[in-house]
Amino acid sequence: VQLQASGGGLVQAGGSLRLSCAASGNIVAIHEVAWYRQAPGKQRELVADITSGGRVNYANSVKGRFTISRDDAKKTVYLQMDSLKPEDTAVYSCYAVGTSLSGGYPSSTDLWGQGTQVTVSS
């Protein structure tokens, strides 16, 4: 079971990026998913999360600019980032709680995806 984050890159201030967090392998369902970010010299912070029921939560610093969404058929969660600012520069990682099959039996699992770098130039 794997979680793959992608979509980072270099963008000018005011631009947009869309990050993807896709689960693969022997995973049956994804429940809660969260995006975190960590800038150099700073602590990791929660950016946004989404429950299996679609309830969302955002950090104050990204409210109104970022949108988290999910496609359960693709086992993928997206983070649409608009109006990007230089202070959004960080490594973004996703974390998921889901159900996988282990020996044919369902098992709760939690996963971290590798980080994807987002750099916003001024």
Side-chain angles (χ1 to χ4, degrees), residues 26 28 99-107:
N26 219 8
V28 176
T99 299
S100 62
L101 287 179
S102 177
Y105 293 93
S107 172

Side-chain angles (χ1 to χ4, degrees), residues 30-48:
I30 296 176
H31 307 307
E32 294 192 17
V33 179
W35 282 98
Y36 289 84
R37 67 185 181 186
Q38 186 165 21
K42 294 188 176 181
Q43 286 191 332
R44 184 171 60 197
E45 64 170 340
L46 176 67
V47 176

Side-chain angles (χ1 to χ4, degrees), residues 44-117:
R44 184 171 60 197
E45 64 170 340
L46 176 67
V47 176
D49 59 60
I50 185 167
T51 68
S52 56
R55 190 176 68 219
V56 300
N57 174 58
Y58 298 97
N60 287 334
S61 57
V62 307
K63 276 181 183 175
R65 300 188 299 121
F66 290 12
T67 303
I68 189 170
S69 62
R70 60 191 295 153
D71 185 335
D72 289 333
K74 295 182 178 179
K75 296 186 181 68
T76 300
V77 171
Y78 304 98
L79 184 68
Q80 177 67 40
M81 306 187 296
D82 298 317
S83 302
L84 282 161
K85 303 175 181 180
E87 50 263 43
D88 294 318
T89 295
V91 174
Y92 286 70
S93 304
C94 56
Y95 169 77
V97 176
T99 299
S100 62
L101 287 179
S102 177
Y105 293 93
S107 172
S108 179
T109 188
D110 60 295
L111 305 161
W112 277 101
Q114 91 293 353
T116 184
Q117 177 70 46

